[in-house]
Amino acid sequence: MAQNAVGRLFRGQSSSTLRQSIGTLTSKRSYSKNAIPSFSPTSSPELDQALIRFREELFIPFGLTTPQRKLMFRTKYADRLDEEPVSVSIGEDEEPFLLRPMDPQSRPTIKEAWDTIALMKTTKDWQNLIPFLSGLRMSHRLVKSDRWQWLMRRAGHADALGIMLECAKQPERTGLRFRNVDIVQRYFFELHRKAQQADFQDPAVSKTLGLAKQAVTLMESPEHQEHNLELDPKRRPFVVGTLLELSAARALNVFGGKDETGDVRLYAGRLLGTWGAGTFDSEAKDWVNIDRMLQENVPIYNGMKLALQVNGISNDKTIAPALKTRVNELGMLITNQKKAASENVKQQPTLGLEQSQLLHQV
């Protein structure tokens, strides 16, 4: 019956037939496939309005059936829909949604999506990120790698790295998977920076270490696995190097210099075993590559230096000499990278505060 109505609707017919078809297609019904995301109040009226706009003008229409969506976006049905408003059930606890004519060109753009996320300032604001990303995914607006990195950076500034981890725990809903090297590196660098800003003291160091461990566990799951070993982020030194840095800092600042959990020894050994997969290129001259390598290498370098101060590691005749050798090698590389980066900063003062801070971390 509904299929016949669809056929008549798009072949053109009399106003009475059209009225009957619209009634058939838009009778109240619940969604069976796409759950429409909803949002909690935020700290900003501007953000509230932006979220409402995305929900009503993009997410809800994409949650409709195809015929219902066509009723809203095809101009030939606009007058009839104005004359005979119809409503659709979008959830058990919500008022029915009133279908209305819409111009497809007026729908929120992907650029507006980033502008909306940029309005998120508080942790309460960021709690709307997961439903927002799920709405974008439902609406076929995909998030590319560079935007995930941008999100990681903003989450770090907003103390929302835990929310980004929750996004990764729901990859089918949000699209975030920890199998891209650039995305994972940015997340781990933000963990490093969060702990570094707190001088590697608790509660920050224990919190960031917990998030790092959860991220690594997540990368073992099928949804996040990268089967090309050369591209597998969890095999890169920056992952285990950050774990070493955070665990060594906790041993020194929380456990009185003792490796009580055994994490420091574990991660030191793993770091030495993954060294060959690192990015240690002293020939990089442009800021993009220098910045990337500094973000990758500073936590590794700091982690090894801290580990060498932990009881049981500093006097280990196997691990300590190997760590000292790598510290010297990486220290020389970072010195060269910082020198080249400083020249880039002088030539490009617009690079900003983040880059300047990075140059002073070692």
Side-chain angles (χ1 to χ4, degrees):
M1 189 70 176
Q3 289 178 343
N4 292 335
V6 173
R8 291 196 303 273
L9 184 60
F10 300 129
R11 284 195 297 270
Q13 61 277 72
S14 67
S15 61
S16 60
T17 305
L18 180 60
R19 183 182 299 110
Q20 182 181 6
S21 299
I22 289 177
T24 302
L25 287 168
T26 59
S27 58
K28 290 185 180 181
R29 59 177 293 170
S30 299
Y31 294 100
S32 59
K33 181 178 180 181
N34 294 322
I36 307 300
S38 58
F39 304 103
S40 58
T42 74
S43 64
S44 162
E46 184 181 3
L47 176 56
D48 287 333
Q49 288 301 313
L51 293 173
I52 291 172
R53 168 167 153 74
F54 266 90
R55 188 174 194 267
E56 294 190 351
E57 298 183 22
L58 187 65
F59 301 162
I60 289 179
F62 268 90
L64 298 171
T65 64
T66 299
Q68 289 169 342
R69 189 159 61 248
K70 287 178 178 179
L71 285 176
M72 297 177 68
F73 289 109
R74 290 195 174 179
T75 55
K76 64 181 179 180
Y77 307 129
D79 291 342
R80 181 58 60 191
L81 200 57
D82 279 334
E83 292 175 9
E84 299 182 9
V86 294
S87 58
V88 178
S89 176
I90 59 175
E92 295 181 358
D93 300 325
E94 289 196 63
E95 293 294 323
F97 180 75
L98 188 67
L99 301 186
R100 62 182 186 275
M102 289 187 183
D103 179 359
Q105 300 302 316
S106 70
R107 289 181 294 195
T109 64
I110 193 66
K111 179 183 181 302
E112 290 179 81
W114 313 136
D115 292 341
T116 298
I117 292 174
L119 295 173
M120 296 180 181
K121 306 298 182 183
T122 68
T123 302
K124 184 178 180 181
D125 295 345
W126 275 80
Q127 289 173 349
N128 288 300
L129 181 66
I130 292 178
F132 189 74
L133 291 175
S134 72
L136 290 180
R137 188 167 176 81
M138 183 183 71
S139 308
H140 311 299
R141 271 61 174 174
L142 301 183
V143 182
K144 296 182 180 180
S145 171
D146 61 337
R147 278 299 171 178
W148 282 122
Q149 295 173 62
W150 176 82
L151 267 171
M152 297 299 183
R153 184 168 64 252
R154 296 195 68 87
H157 289 300
D159 195 22
L161 293 172
I163 292 175
M164 295 308 302
L165 185 66
E166 289 302 315
C167 287
K169 290 179 180 179
Q170 304 177 52
E172 293 301 325
R173 186 179 178 194
T174 66
L176 176 58
R177 287 177 168 82
F178 279 163
R179 60 189 182 199
N180 177 287
V181 170
D182 294 331
I183 294 172
V184 174
Q185 180 177 323
R186 188 73 219 191
Y187 185 71
F188 273 75
F189 180 73
E190 292 301 328
L191 293 176
H192 151 81
R193 186 161 61 176
K194 194 68 181 176
Q196 190 269 338
Q197 289 172 345
D199 294 325
F200 296 99
Q201 300 290 333
D202 256 359
V205 71
S206 292
K207 179 180 179 180
T208 51
L209 178 59
L211 292 175
K213 286 183 173 182
Q214 289 184 62
V216 171
T217 300
L218 206 59
M219 284 189 277
E220 296 287 351
S221 65
E223 297 86 355
H224 296 268
Q225 282 188 358
E226 170 55 62
H227 298 292
N228 185 334
L229 298 184
E230 294 183 0
L231 300 177
D232 189 356
K234 66 179 177 292
R235 296 177 180 272
R236 297 295 181 93
F238 71 81
V239 169
V240 69
T242 305
L243 287 164
L244 176 62
E245 177 189 47
L246 298 174
S247 61
R250 185 177 63 164
L252 293 170
N253 298 329
V254 180
F255 298 143
K258 298 178 181 179
D259 184 18
E260 290 195 357
T261 62
D263 283 348
V264 181
R265 179 177 296 278
L266 173 66
Y267 295 135
R270 288 184 178 177
L271 175 60
L272 294 172
T274 61
W275 194 263
T279 304
F280 308 119
D281 183 4
S282 61
E283 300 301 319
K285 301 299 181 184
D286 62 288
W287 170 253
V288 173
N289 286 318
I290 293 170
D291 181 43
R292 175 186 171 84
M293 284 193 293
L294 283 172
Q295 290 185 28
E296 184 172 346
N297 294 332
V298 166
I300 298 171
Y301 177 74
N302 194 43
M304 292 189 296
K305 288 187 66 177
L306 292 175
L308 286 169
Q309 301 174 43
V310 175
N311 296 339
I313 304 298
S314 57
N315 56 0
D316 186 291
K317 294 182 179 180
T318 301
I319 294 179
L323 286 179
K324 290 176 182 177
T325 298
R326 295 305 188 189
V327 165
N328 292 334
E329 293 174 356
L330 194 52
M332 293 178 62
L333 175 62
I334 289 176
T335 297
N336 293 333
Q337 291 174 344
K338 288 177 63 179
K339 182 178 179 180
S342 297
E343 293 300 320
N344 275 267
V345 170
K346 291 177 183 178
Q347 296 172 14
Q348 304 178 59
T350 58
L351 286 175
L353 179 62
E354 179 180 332
Q355 289 82 359
S356 298
Q357 292 174 336
L358 180 60
L359 297 180
H360 292 88
Q361 287 188 17
V362 288

